[in-house]
Amino acid sequence: CTEEGLQRIGADKKRCIKCGICWTVCPEAGISEEPDGYFDMNTYCKGCGICAFECPVDAIDMVKEEK
């Protein structure tokens, strides 16, 4: 992955239905469970985008990481 291609998750907690799918499918344990949703992105997030792809309500998207 080149520096221009680095991405991180962007989350809209208001859209979260607390289904836990993102937390379940993350291969790196990059999402930590919170009482109000599952969007505490931690240092393990590698930017793979699986959580964004699997979110049934499109509450997660991938945003270009700022330098």
Side-chain angles (χ1 to χ4, degrees):
C1 189
T2 64
E3 273 192 36
E4 303 98 43
L6 293 177
Q7 294 188 337
R8 63 176 177 82
I9 62 171
D12 182 351
K13 288 186 180 185
K14 292 177 184 172
R15 295 181 72 180
C16 178
I17 59 172
K18 301 176 183 137
C19 64
I21 292 173
C22 60
W23 180 72
T24 304
V25 300
C26 181
E28 298 292 334
I31 298 174
S32 300
E33 186 176 0
E34 292 183 333
D36 64 342
Y38 290 88
F39 293 113
D40 182 18
M41 185 185 80
N42 59 49
T43 58
Y44 297 111
C45 177
K46 304 298 184 218
C48 68
I50 295 172
C51 57
F53 181 78
E54 294 293 335
C55 181
V57 294
D58 297 323
I60 305 171
D61 58 358
M62 300 305 293
V63 294
K64 191 170 185 175
E65 191 171 68
E66 299 293 324
K67 289 185 179 183

